[in-house]
Amino acid sequence: EEDAADHDGKQKKQRTTLPEMKAFIGCMFAFTQSSKVGGIRKAFEEETDGLFRPQDLGRFGLKYRRFSDILSCWTFAKLENGVEEADADPYWRTDQLIDRFNAHYAMNFTHGSYVNVDERIFWSFARAQPEGVKVCGRKPRGTGQECKTLSSVDVNCTTTFEQIRGNKEVSEGREFVKEYGKAASVVVRLCKKAGIEGSNRIVIADSWFANLALLRGLRSIGIHLIGMIKQGDGGFPKKGLCALLDEPGKEARGSHAVATIEIDGEPVIGLAWKGKSDRGRKG
């Protein structure tokens, strides 16, 4: 239900029907796929301006005015009682949405053997944004809110998100940061939010996340790790493995060396190989 003004300007409750909500959500998805400028009203125009074809979203059963009425009442989050918006955490809206999303997938989705950890930027042109906004030139749309994500490899589906906070005090005060460091703690928290701790699943991580601290953190909650280690090689026999690659007979690309170390009573296998360049030898 939402408040809507009648012809006399009086406010009244108006119930939104299921077909209207389906059309409303469809329009919202349409906006995410369109790069056409001009705002929401433009998307409902029935006639072309001579440059672009009209989107005419109203043909699906929801006119611009009705769409605007629903949008004005559309919310995923509510402030706690007694808390003013000016004093609230700048992420209070999206945090509640992401928490519900994570809880829904943790309850209803079963991961396969392998899960992947990565990052994603939610593109935005909003005038006022929280402190976690990131500019990343290599991304197709590289300005927006950054999230770290956990995805199921088997079905290519992202199931768990965590927003990156620009506020240093908030970031460093999060769970597991003191024990395992900033990068590793993100992965451990994502696994717990996904509800896969103790399942012996395997996390695949790139060099931003992967280090021995992450291995310890994941093993503490019953998860395994396959990761690429570059700069975060503290405690890992990287130099020794690279030295083995300099031995005679290891000149060809694809040559490799293997070492096994023991961490917290468990064997850890390290593999080094020759690629296109020697950049991975730094550190």
Side-chain angles (χ1 to χ4, degrees):
E1 293 183 354
E2 76 273 2
D3 291 324
D6 60 18
H7 294 295
D8 298 325
K10 297 179 180 180
Q11 294 293 316
K12 64 177 182 179
K13 289 289 184 180
Q14 183 172 351
R15 183 175 295 275
T16 305
T17 65
L18 182 59
E20 284 181 326
M21 284 307 302
K22 287 182 177 179
F24 174 81
I25 294 173
C27 289
M28 297 293 283
F29 276 115
F31 295 144
T32 68
Q33 301 300 314
S34 174
S35 58
K36 182 178 178 182
V37 297
I40 293 175
R41 184 185 291 274
K42 189 82 172 176
F44 284 86
E45 289 183 353
E46 300 176 9
E47 297 181 1
T48 179
D49 55 10
L51 185 60
F52 298 105
R53 291 182 178 180
Q55 286 184 268
D56 187 18
L57 293 182
R59 71 185 187 275
F60 297 110
L62 198 67
K63 299 301 182 182
Y64 170 71
R65 183 170 180 176
R66 183 67 179 136
F67 177 87
S68 299
D69 287 341
I70 298 174
L71 183 63
S72 65
C73 303
W74 183 252
T75 180
F76 292 99
K78 292 184 178 180
L79 278 169
E80 297 179 6
N81 292 333
V83 178
E84 297 294 332
E85 185 166 358
D87 302 324
D89 186 294
Y91 293 86
W92 69 270
R93 289 186 180 86
T94 47
D95 262 350
Q96 290 183 42
L97 173 61
I98 288 177
D99 288 345
R100 292 170 186 172
F101 178 94
N102 291 343
H104 175 78
Y105 264 87
M107 182 179 296
N108 297 286
F109 185 86
T110 301
H111 287 80
S113 299
Y114 295 92
V115 293
N116 172 252
V117 62
D118 209 338
E119 66 273 338
R120 182 172 299 180
I121 293 180
F122 289 93
W123 171 58
S124 175
F125 281 156
R127 293 186 177 90
Q129 301 184 52
E131 299 168 341
V133 171
K134 183 176 181 179
V135 177
C136 187
R138 71 178 185 273
K139 303 290 185 181
R141 291 175 174 173
T143 301
Q145 174 63 39
E146 182 184 3
C147 287
K148 301 302 181 185
T149 63
L150 198 70
S151 303
S152 169
V153 174
D154 297 292
V155 297
N156 194 27
C157 174
T158 299
T159 65
T160 317
F161 293 84
E162 181 178 291
Q163 293 190 99
I164 297 303
R165 304 296 189 99
N167 187 302
K168 185 177 179 181
E169 293 181 2
V170 173
S171 297
E172 294 185 351
R174 283 181 158 176
E175 189 179 15
F176 302 120
V177 172
K178 291 183 179 180
E179 296 91 332
Y180 306 117
K182 183 178 178 180
S185 66
V186 172
V187 187
V188 180
R189 288 194 301 271
L190 285 170
C191 290
K192 291 194 68 176
K193 291 175 182 177
I196 61 173
E197 65 268 34
S199 65
N200 280 321
R201 286 182 169 84
I202 301 168
V203 168
I204 301 174
D206 64 21
S207 59
W208 193 90
F209 301 97
N211 52 42
L212 294 188
L214 174 58
L215 174 68
R216 289 189 172 96
L218 291 178
R219 293 306 299 134
S220 71
I221 61 170
I223 301 291
H224 298 280
L225 171 67
I226 295 176
M228 180 178 291
I229 292 181
K230 290 184 179 179
Q231 300 302 316
D233 59 341
F236 190 77
K238 176 180 173 180
K239 292 183 178 179
L241 285 169
C242 290
L244 292 176
L245 291 179
D246 292 329
E247 294 180 352
K250 299 283 189 179
E251 294 84 5
R253 180 181 173 185
S255 298
H256 58 276
V258 180
T260 301
I261 60 176
E262 189 174 288
I263 295 179
D264 299 335
E266 293 187 320
V268 178
I269 300 173
L271 170 68
W273 69 93
K274 283 196 172 180
K276 293 181 180 180
S277 68
D278 291 333
R279 287 185 299 174
R281 292 172 175 252
K282 293 180 181 179

